[in-house]
Amino acid sequence: MVVELAQDELKNLGKVWLSIFVSLSYCYVIGKITPKGFTRLVPILPVISLFLILPLNLTSIHFCGFTAFFIAWLANFKLLLFAFGKPPLSFDHPISYPLFIVVSCLPIKIQPPKNTPNSQINQNPDQKSQNNSYPSPQKFKNSQNPDQKSPNNSYPSPKKSQISQKEQNPDQRSQNKSYPSPQKSQISPRNYLIKFVLLALMIKIYDYRDQIVQIHPKILWLIYFFHIYFALEIILAILAKSAKIFLGLELEPQFNEPLLSTSLQDFWGKRWNLMVTSILRPTVYLPTLKISSRVIGREAAPLPAVMATFIVSALMHELIFYYLGRVGPTFEATWFFLLHGFCLCVEITVKKYGRQRKWRVPPRWFSGVATAVFVVGTGFWLFLPPLLKAGLDTRGLGEYAVIGAYVKRVLF
């Protein structure tokens, strides 16, 4: 009976992704025959609506969760940008049909070409978001330290995004050398292998959940925390490797060792789920930054832009939580992201004031520990509880058992 249910779910998964493929093919044709703007947006809106419904056809938390993340969130945001002629699906030169499909439905970001002209680096943020969503390697080499966002991150400072590296403070340029660029910090296969082994051990440890809970339930929660991180990174790395093998694409890593974060800016802007960061920046952050600059001035504009970005992220997480649990929202995840957005705004303000007063920067080990404690602590408080209340931990372990039974039946 269990194996039959798994086969039915696989059939549903095939139907869902066939619908996605047909829908994206339709969008590609629409992009060829309609000009960018609302004229292109109107025929694409039915696809965006369909992508919000398709995850409801899946009951597996793994299939449903990743389909919802890839389609209801990332693909829909990419299609909105595509409607107005912006990357990652629109460039100065049209991209091929296979590349359009892959970039649309998978959380991948193409590395910039090595011959990107330096003139593109000094464009203003709006020009960059229209012409080239993938910054040139020179940008990465000149990237600021983790607490000072580069133009590729979702929370850049207005001054930084509008001036060239030559115009920046010499002291700021000297700080760049101490932090590796995202391109240099690609994770080795050995690192992925270690994380895969640790993930397998975690799944085995779940057999002793009752004993662990008797010691302290938060130990199990910590294992869940690392489980989510390792599973996301490994699956996204597999997708990136597959795209490289079949399409010859060099893809940027989706994570940049978030456990080494030294601040909330570093964690959310440069290390955690960089695909989400890159898609929220042109869709939420930059438009809000532009409007806020006109209303409250350029100096304070990043603060409402940051909060708007976290609000949208909170709403999308609530939607994905609904897909997974099929229960009404508790809004605990919303409070998690609002809290982090507020604290990030405080961090930005304090650091700006501290630079003016020439305060001494705390040691990296101290800021790293403080960041980890805050992220994990607030995750225990607000992020994990709605998932556990929906019984996703028990369902997830049940799905591992189903997968094991299905594989045995196929192989033996």
Side-chain angles (χ1 to χ4, degrees), residues 106-122:
L106 295 179
I108 59 177
K109 180 182 176 185
I110 308 170
Q111 283 187 354
K114 295 183 179 180
N115 59 350
T116 302
N118 289 337
S119 60
Q120 292 183 5
I121 300 176
N122 297 324

Side-chain angles (χ1 to χ4, degrees), residues 21-59:
F21 175 78
V22 173
S23 300
L24 291 176
S25 301
Y26 161 79
C27 292
Y28 183 79
V29 174
I30 290 297
K32 291 288 187 181
I33 62 178
T34 59
K36 63 183 179 180
F38 287 99
T39 304
R40 183 183 297 178
L41 176 63
V42 171
I44 289 179
L45 284 178
V47 174
I48 294 176
S49 301
L50 177 65
F51 282 0
L52 292 174
I53 298 173
L54 285 178
L56 296 174
N57 294 289
L58 301 171
T59 57

